[in-house]
Amino acid sequence: MSGAALDQALLAAHAAADSPALVRLYTQAADQAEAGGRSDAAGFFLTQAFVFALEAGLPEGAALNSRLAAQGRSHPVAL
C-alpha cells in the first residue's frame, strides 16, 4: 500500500475506532519504515500498533512487544 493510501486507511480506522485495523495498519507502516531504513519511524509505528493491541486485548501484542524489545525500545512484557 502506498504511503498516501496507508495514511488514508489509518485515518479511516481511527475514525471508526477499529483497533484490529489500526494494529494491522500501524504494523504495516512500521514494516515499510523499517524497509526504508527509517528506524525511528518504524519504532514509532510499532509502538502505536502495540498500544492499540494492548488496549483491545489482541494477541498481536506479544509479537509487537518482542519486536520492540529486540530493538531496545521496550522491555519484554508477559502478556
Side-chain angles (χ1 to χ4, degrees):
M1 183 179 301
S2 73
L6 184 55
D7 288 344
Q8 289 302 313
L10 278 164
L11 289 172
H14 274 288
D18 185 345
S19 294
L22 287 166
V23 171
R24 180 179 48 79
L25 292 166
Y26 274 118
T27 300
Q28 184 176 353
D31 293 342
Q32 288 180 3
E34 203 168 67
R38 298 175 306 143
S39 62
D40 286 340
F44 170 80
F45 292 131
L46 277 178
T47 300
Q48 297 308 304
F50 180 52
V51 167
F52 283 107
L54 285 177
E55 287 180 345
L58 299 173
E60 293 91 332
L64 292 164
N65 178 245
S66 293
R67 284 180 68 180
L68 287 164
Q71 295 176 6
R73 297 179 183 275
S74 176
H75 294 287
V77 177
L79 299 175

